[in-house]
Amino acid sequence: MNTSTENIKVVDHKINYNNLVFYVIDTTNSILNIDHTMGYDALILDASDPEYARIVLKKIRSHYNPEFYLKPVFLLNFKETKDPLLNNMHDGLMTSYDQVVSMSEVAKRIFLKTTQLDNQLIPSFEGQTVKKVLNYMYTRDIRTLKPIVDLNSSIGYTYPELSINFTNTEEPQVLEILEWADREGLIWPDFYERVYLCNNCNSGALSYREVCPHCNSANSKSEDLVHHFPCAYIGPISDFQNNIDSSLNCPKCNKTLRHIGIDYDKPSVIHHCNNCDQNYQDAFIKSKCLSCEDDIDVKYLVPKTVNIYKLTRKGRSAATSGFLSSSLEVDDIFGTINMQTLRIMLHYELEKVKESPAQKTSIALVHLENIFELYNKIGKKGERKLLEELVAVVRENIKSSDVIAFESSSTLYLMLTNTTSENAEQKLMNLTALTENLIKKNFNSFKVNLLYKVKMLDANKKAEVQLQELSKDFFA
Amino acid sequence: MEYLDEFFNYISSVSPSKLVRVFWFFFFFEFVRFFLVDFTTVLLWKITAVFRKKRVKEGRNLFWAEKPLISIIVPGKNEGKHIFKLANSLKEQTYQNFELIVIDDGSDDETKSICNSLKKNGLIDIFLSNDVRGGKASAANLGLRYSSGKYIIHMDADCSYDRDAVENIIVPFYYNEKLGAVGGDVQVRNYRESLCASLQAIEYTDTISIGRISQSQLGIYRIISGAFGAFKKDALDSVGGWDIGPGLDGDITVKVRKMGYEIHFEPTAICQTNVPVTFKALTKQRLRWDKSLIRFRVRKHRDVFYPNESFRISNFVSFVENITYSLVLNFKWYFYLIDMVLNYTSRLVFIIPMNFILYTINNYFKFIVFSLFRERKNVKAEYFMLYMPLMALYFGYYLRLVRTYAYLQELIFRRSYEDSWNPEKSSRQAKSLKL
Ligand SMILES: [Zn+2]
Ligand SMILES: [Zn+2]
Ligand SMILES: [Zn+2]
């Protein structure tokens, strides 16, 4: 291609080059509404103000839509920073607009790779997040997830490609997701470092110090104990000191101490607490959490391994051909059955419907559309608690012969026996209100988008097919 | 049979004066000192108890009114397993205003973790640990340094104490303010474990307990057992605590005496201890004890014999008595032996058994008579009756031989400085400074 740099001009924040439109973002863009970049092929982000650049870059890369998070972003006027996000989540550095020439090649390579991606929806929060990271890594030819020291991260380390989807304080969740991806066989861990986290808030910002075992105060004075062999006197070194010179004299026999190991030694150390006046040797080591201010005995800290993760074969192909999550942890919530059992039960239900056509049975799909935003905040334990409460509410409002099955932590199926589709519709409207209320009340006024679809069982179709149709109708 | 006839013939044929000539050692020394003197003083002690009663009662009231803080110091190496039992049993004491201070002297077993957990659970008040062993004296001194009680009680981790032992050992301070230290009565807990232990149990009840009552009466009581002794903190501080030596027991008492304090033996403050169960272990223990007589009476504290300003007649008598009866008599016995061999060669076959009979009769008599004076017995007296004949061998030969060996070793080679009881670094210093 024969293109000269002369026709590179910025017009109204845009550069047209080589059939690509670059959109330039600098502090004069009042935007920060990322939707404005929709449709542009690549972005040039002015990084003279790293603070600003960081905010914009994070908005782009943490977006749920591949249109944004996969968009090539080039940094202009970038100066080396300590920010792992800014350092790692761009696609190239520019010092002048002329470099658009080479950047366009980079962008095209990314586009090519983007077209190869599989767009399957993974039915879990972890799955979705990991797929997103895998997509990004694939389009950028990244093979490892490497932890980088980050003072802003609550655990002290950050995995830029993954952590960008979370806030600094949500960093412990990043570790959970990595553990999940490890269990799924998508990534392979290599030990990198161990961190200890607060057992209350999971923060790694801890201040360690020796404290008095009696009153937990760190206000103490430590002294060597000195043993004078000839007279067997033993006491803190201050017993031997004087105000005049630096010689040490035994308070019992008045002799001057001469030579350590010969006439005296220091068999141990003693601490004196200035707060409660106790003497002790077995100082406790406590760590104060700088985030929640809990004072924790070190043995109760939560140890976590920070690994370097390499993509496995499954992980490498997951971006282009998708992957099946093998373990749905929502399986064993009390009051539910798993999808396998649901299919079998539907099969028998169909037999019954065939025999007595008067009997009507409905199936319903319920989807909590934006629930991952909440899971993101409340973590794995909170998620489980929420689902358990949800099941309890649903169970109260359906018959005992009805069943609930989770397909993922955001999608569940109901089988409602002796229920026409109209009745089912009515029931689900009630349930929607109840669920929305429940979540709103328990989770800080979070407003969940609950969507559902109801279908009456057709005696002439296979159970499996009917479930697929329901899902297809819903997500189409 | 023929021998027995001859034996009785010989015995009955000797005139009283001849009897004394042949058995002079027994009559002049053993009988006089260990029976007559002890018996008279103990009898006197029993009789005067009536007069003391009021004083003791007032002292006890005074003690309970003041309720002083008492520091109990337990130094030791690798005693973790015993400490738990000790700390628990101390909760049973009638007197509870004490702090328990445990000093770990360079243990290399789980002692440290056991004690730390006991401390966490409030069973130990102060636990200090030396990474390097410094010897029992320095461990006790470390406890003393961090104690805050008005009285200090020294205990051994592997001993157990009567419910009122702590109270009883402190009360004497409240009716005799000249006291600097009080020793408790040590009894043998494991007397059934072996013959060796049984013999020691008799020795402890007879010679040691009764002997100490009598010594205390005479004002010459000199050894406060390391297993159970109480001190005024002021007194201990003024002598700088314990010095290194082959035993904690004797030396500190002499030092406290030299400061002008009186020492008292309290037979109602009772502690039970495990004694060595084999003669091998017993020999080792006694060699250490006996060497300390030479090191402390004859060497370190020989100034009690000098008529200087700190001279006290009771100290002088105590030392003379101790040295005479232990050291001099020990060697005098060999004179007796030589005397007999040279002058009564043909009669030895009768003299030796006769000696044995005399001693045994004396032992039975002593044991039965003194039983009347013992206020609390851990064993029925009958238990020991069977063992009594062996005591003549135990006292007369076994202990004497051990003692002789110890004295010679210490007098000639100063072996106590090589005793593993103290770390080598301390012994080297002590030896070069002639302590
Ligand atoms: Zn000194
Ligand atoms: Zn304190
Ligand atoms: Zn915290």
Side-chain angles (χ1 to χ4, degrees):
Chain A
M1 222 175 289
N2 187 16
T3 41
S4 74
T5 57
E6 272 139 46
N7 48 18
I8 292 172
K9 271 185 252 133
V10 184
V11 180
D12 192 19
H13 287 284
K14 288 178 267 288
I15 298 174
N16 277 289
Y17 180 78
N18 202 2
N19 297 327
L20 299 177
V21 184
F22 289 78
Y23 186 76
V24 179
I25 304 173
D26 57 32
T27 41
T28 64
N29 296 65
S30 57
I31 54 150
L32 291 194
N33 184 351
I34 299 304
D35 294 345
H36 287 177
T37 65
M38 178 83 118
Y40 299 111
D41 298 302
L43 305 174
I44 296 171
L45 176 58
D46 187 340
S48 331
D49 178 357
E51 225 20 68
Y52 173 81
R54 182 182 201 280
I55 293 166
V56 176
L57 188 62
K58 187 166 167 77
K59 278 201 170 189
I60 296 163
R61 292 287 188 240
S62 64
H63 206 280
Y64 65 90
N65 189 341
E67 155 76 21
F68 296 103
Y69 75 75
L70 289 177
K71 206 183 276 293
V73 178
F74 305 104
L75 298 183
L76 186 68
N77 303 325
F78 174 80
K79 289 177 293 279
E80 190 63 37
T81 69
K82 280 211 154 182
D83 184 56
L85 203 146
L86 213 49
N87 287 345
N88 291 280
M89 297 301 288
H90 61 77
D91 294 300
L93 298 175
M94 297 166 67
T95 46
S96 81
Y97 291 122
D98 295 346
Q99 284 165 297
V100 162
V101 179
S102 53
M103 293 309 152
S104 68
E105 296 305 317
V106 174
K108 281 192 168 160
R109 217 163 38 239
I110 292 171
F111 297 148
L112 181 68
K113 290 228 158 186
T114 305
T115 58
Q116 296 164 3
L117 293 175
D118 156 88
N119 292 318
Q120 173 213 16
L121 256 179
I122 312 281
S124 75
F125 170 59
E126 293 87 353
Q128 276 180 19
T129 313
V130 169
K131 181 67 166 52
K132 181 181 167 188
V133 173
L134 293 175
N135 285 348
Y136 180 82
M137 289 170 78
Y138 178 78
T139 54
R140 268 72 180 173
D141 281 323
I142 301 169
R143 292 287 180 89
T144 54
L145 284 164
K146 205 172 172 274
I148 297 170
V149 173
D150 182 7
L151 280 177
N152 292 315
S153 154
S154 70
I155 62 164
Y157 288 91
T158 189
Y159 294 86
E161 295 84 359
L162 177 55
S163 304
I164 196 153
N165 298 298
F166 298 87
T167 65
N168 289 331
T169 52
E170 289 166 355
E171 203 72 44
Q173 280 212 63
V174 169
L175 295 183
E176 272 183 26
I177 293 199
L178 287 166
E179 280 161 21
W180 179 88
D182 183 7
R183 282 198 301 277
E184 290 291 326
L186 297 164
I187 53 177
W188 182 260
D190 256 330
F191 179 87
Y192 182 73
E193 191 49 279
R194 183 173 292 271
V195 293
Y196 292 85
L197 308 181
C198 169
N199 64 355
N200 179 42
C201 73
N202 273 328
S203 166
L206 302 164
S207 165
Y208 298 87
R209 66 256 189 278
E210 284 193 329
V211 300
C212 167
H214 305 278
C215 71
N216 282 333
S217 165
N219 181 7
S220 70
K221 184 179 133 197
S222 299
E223 279 192 272
D224 282 327
L225 279 180
V226 174
H227 171 199
H228 191 216
F229 301 156
C231 72
Y233 183 82
I234 181 163
I237 195 160
S238 53
D239 286 3
F240 292 79
Q241 286 162 336
N242 61 62
N243 300 326
I244 304 148
D245 56 20
S246 59
S247 69
L248 297 172
N249 298 297
C250 178
K252 175 170 168 182
C253 67
N254 289 322
K255 285 199 184 71
T256 302
L257 273 51
R258 289 173 301 141
H259 195 131
I260 192 158
I262 304 281
D263 60 332
Y264 73 97
D265 69 357
K266 296 176 172 176
S268 68
V269 174
I270 193 158
H271 313 284
H272 176 82
C273 176
N274 293 328
N275 184 46
C276 73
D277 255 359
Q278 294 265 12
N279 295 298
Y280 58 92
Q281 288 182 303
D282 51 329
F284 282 10
I285 297 184
K286 282 217 166 184
S287 70
K288 183 158 227 151
C289 174
L290 299 180
S291 126
C292 72
E293 294 193 36
D294 256 20
D295 210 356
I296 310 148
D297 197 329
V298 285
K299 66 171 179 272
Y300 298 121
L301 292 175
V302 182
K304 286 270 184 192
T305 308
V306 174
N307 296 308
I308 297 181
Y309 290 97
K310 291 193 183 71
L311 294 185
T312 59
R313 183 190 293 272
K314 184 180 175 189
R316 285 199 298 275
S317 63
T320 52
S321 43
F323 66 95
L324 280 175
S325 166
S326 52
S327 61
L328 271 180
E329 284 142 37
V330 287
D331 266 11
D332 54 340
I333 288 178
F334 182 77
T336 70
I337 56 171
N338 63 29
M339 289 301 286
Q340 181 102 30
T341 318
L342 176 70
R343 279 180 205 111
I344 295 165
M345 288 184 73
L346 277 177
H347 176 75
Y348 288 115
E349 193 64 25
L350 279 172
E351 303 277 297
K352 267 200 269 171
V353 172
K354 256 184 225 166
E355 273 171 32
S356 45
Q359 188 163 347
K360 309 284 179 209
T361 291
S362 296
I363 52 173
L365 182 155
V366 179
H367 182 64
L368 305 157
E369 197 189 38
N370 56 345
I371 197 74
F372 289 130
E373 285 173 37
L374 181 57
Y375 290 166
N376 214 339
K377 291 197 186 76
I378 61 181
K380 209 70 204 156
K381 269 189 214 138
E383 172 184 333
R384 178 149 190 116
K385 221 173 146 246
L386 184 150
L387 289 175
E388 279 167 356
E389 278 172 28
L390 175 70
V391 168
V393 167
V394 174
R395 270 256 79 101
E396 265 177 46
N397 293 280
I398 58 178
K399 291 194 288 291
S400 58
S401 55
D402 297 348
V403 296
I404 310 169
F406 275 101
E407 190 192 38
S408 74
S409 54
S410 63
T411 307
L412 58 101
Y413 288 91
L414 300 175
M415 179 178 89
L416 305 163
T417 54
N418 283 324
T419 312
T420 61
S421 53
E422 291 80 30
N423 290 344
E425 195 81 37
Q426 186 61 45
K427 223 172 225 177
L428 276 153
M429 262 169 66
N430 292 340
L431 280 176
T432 303
L434 284 170
T435 307
E436 283 179 354
N437 244 330
L438 169 87
I439 292 175
K440 197 170 162 184
K441 216 171 66 205
N442 287 323
F443 297 97
N444 220 356
S445 314
F446 182 81
K447 198 179 168 322
V448 72
N449 274 344
L450 194 147
L451 308 169
Y452 63 88
K453 182 131 189 105
V454 175
K455 192 175 183 297
M456 202 137 76
L457 269 194
D458 182 340
N460 301 315
K461 282 183 184 165
K462 276 190 175 164
E464 183 69 47
V465 175
Q466 298 199 48
L467 281 176
Q468 274 171 14
E469 281 177 2
L470 183 62
S471 159
K472 216 167 152 192
D473 285 354
F474 182 86
F475 288 108
Chain B
M1 265 340 207
E2 219 172 296
Y3 171 77
L4 276 186
D5 286 342
E6 280 182 54
F7 178 74
F8 285 117
N9 280 338
Y10 171 75
I11 298 299
S12 47
S13 68
V14 281
S15 61
S17 60
K18 186 91 183 292
L19 198 70
V20 172
R21 166 65 187 94
V22 175
F23 300 102
W24 58 268
F25 193 82
F26 173 79
F27 285 111
F28 282 120
F29 297 105
E30 307 269 353
F31 185 72
V32 171
R33 166 65 184 90
F34 290 119
F35 187 70
L36 281 188
V37 174
D38 280 356
F39 181 72
T40 334
T41 48
V42 170
L43 192 66
L44 264 169
W45 171 73
K46 198 73 191 172
I47 294 164
T48 53
V50 194
F51 306 106
R52 273 198 313 274
K53 213 170 169 185
K54 191 167 164 253
R55 230 158 43 98
V56 173
K57 199 172 170 228
E58 281 169 5
R60 191 174 299 272
N61 291 339
L62 217 60
F63 163 73
W64 277 106
E66 185 186 320
K67 283 213 181 107
L69 176 66
I70 295 169
S71 302
I72 297 177
I73 298 178
V74 186
K77 183 186 177 195
N78 295 347
E79 300 275 18
K81 50 195 182 296
H82 299 303
I83 300 281
F84 177 73
K85 261 165 89 180
L86 177 69
N88 256 313
S89 73
L90 286 178
K91 286 202 302 195
E92 292 292 306
Q93 284 295 318
T94 52
Y95 189 73
Q96 284 292 322
N97 189 25
F98 61 79
E99 51 171 9
L100 178 56
I101 304 175
V102 175
I103 310 294
D104 156 35
D105 193 22
S107 292
D108 45 22
D109 61 357
E110 333 74 89
T111 295
K112 216 169 159 171
S113 65
I114 293 173
C115 291
N116 273 325
S117 84
L118 287 175
K119 191 183 162 200
K120 226 173 259 173
N121 291 304
L123 284 165
I124 294 178
D125 298 289
I126 296 179
F127 173 64
L128 296 172
S129 174
N130 283 331
D131 304 332
V132 230
R133 187 162 91 99
K136 203 157 188 172
S138 73
N141 283 338
L142 183 58
L144 175 63
R145 171 62 179 76
Y146 287 102
S147 64
S148 30
K150 185 173 176 189
Y151 299 96
I152 309 289
I153 295 180
H154 182 283
M155 286 188 180
D156 268 357
D158 60 352
C159 294
S160 50
Y161 298 81
D162 272 16
R163 292 191 72 246
D164 53 3
V166 168
E167 175 182 349
N168 287 350
I169 205 168
I170 299 295
V171 165
F173 290 107
Y174 284 81
Y175 60 78
N176 180 359
E177 53 191 35
K178 285 186 218 138
L179 288 183
V182 176
D185 186 25
V186 180
Q187 300 186 345
V188 176
R189 183 172 45 199
N190 61 336
Y191 64 91
R192 277 177 196 277
E193 225 174 296
S194 70
L195 172 68
C196 179
S198 293
L199 297 181
Q200 286 173 80
I202 300 175
E203 180 196 4
Y204 274 72
T205 28
D206 254 22
T207 349
I208 303 184
S209 299
I210 295 296
R212 283 175 184 177
I213 293 178
S214 129
Q215 287 165 8
S216 183
Q217 269 302 100
L218 294 170
I220 58 171
Y221 169 46
R222 56 181 173 253
I223 294 179
I224 285 186
S225 162
F228 197 25
F231 301 85
K232 252 185 199 142
K233 170 141 164 120
D234 294 346
L236 269 186
D237 283 341
S238 68
V239 300
W242 288 269
D243 291 354
I244 51 169
L248 287 180
D249 319 1
D251 182 53
I252 188 79
T253 327
V254 177
K255 292 206 300 169
V256 171
R257 270 179 170 286
K258 279 191 188 168
M259 295 302 293
Y261 290 101
E262 287 179 13
I263 314 284
H264 171 78
F265 173 74
E266 183 49 57
T268 65
I270 290 162
C271 145
Q272 299 215 1
T273 189
N274 283 343
V275 293
V277 287
T278 63
F279 281 101
K280 193 177 165 204
L282 178 65
T283 306
K284 214 176 139 203
Q285 181 200 53
R286 291 304 163 95
L287 282 176
R288 184 159 59 77
W289 287 6
D290 292 333
K291 281 179 208 163
S292 73
L293 176 97
I294 304 298
R295 180 153 155 194
F296 290 109
R297 310 287 150 172
V298 183
R299 291 216 190 94
K300 184 174 172 185
H301 294 295
R302 59 180 174 277
D303 58 337
V304 288
F305 299 112
Y306 305 156
N308 55 23
E309 73 271 20
S310 69
F311 180 84
R312 278 176 70 211
I313 190 74
S314 64
N315 288 348
F316 180 81
V317 172
S318 168
F319 268 52
V320 169
E321 188 262 2
N322 191 198
I323 290 172
T324 312
Y325 276 87
S326 306
L327 181 64
V328 178
L329 271 202
N330 194 60
F331 291 112
K332 201 128 193 174
W333 185 80
Y334 293 98
F335 282 117
Y336 173 71
L337 206 65
I338 293 163
D339 175 27
M340 290 302 113
V341 171
L342 293 181
N343 300 320
Y344 297 91
T345 324
S346 58
R347 298 277 173 249
L348 271 183
V349 281
F350 304 125
I351 292 172
I352 293 170
M354 189 55 198
N355 252 314
F356 176 78
I357 291 169
L358 279 176
Y359 276 101
T360 305
I361 293 171
N362 182 43
N363 285 341
Y364 269 114
F365 193 63
K366 215 165 81 172
F367 192 82
I368 292 162
V369 170
F370 287 158
S371 284
L372 306 172
F373 296 102
R374 274 189 288 273
E375 296 189 353
R376 180 185 169 289
K377 304 160 187 114
N378 58 337
V379 203
K380 282 212 181 89
E382 296 92 273
Y383 177 84
F384 292 122
M385 288 306 174
L386 200 65
Y387 294 100
M388 209 46 85
L390 289 174
M391 289 309 285
L393 298 176
Y394 177 76
F395 277 124
Y397 297 93
Y398 170 69
L399 286 185
R400 198 186 306 273
L401 277 174
V402 171
R403 206 178 300 140
T404 308
Y405 184 64
Y407 290 168
L408 289 176
Q409 263 200 331
E410 185 63 21
L411 279 171
I412 302 169
F413 303 111
R414 305 199 172 193
R415 272 292 154 74
S416 73
Y417 295 103
E418 285 154 40
D419 203 308
S420 63
W421 200 78
N422 284 308
E424 201 236 329
K425 57 186 183 191
S426 296
S427 293
R428 201 178 331 116
Q429 281 291 312
K431 192 172 182 178
S432 70
L433 294 164
K434 296 202 166 55
L435 291 177

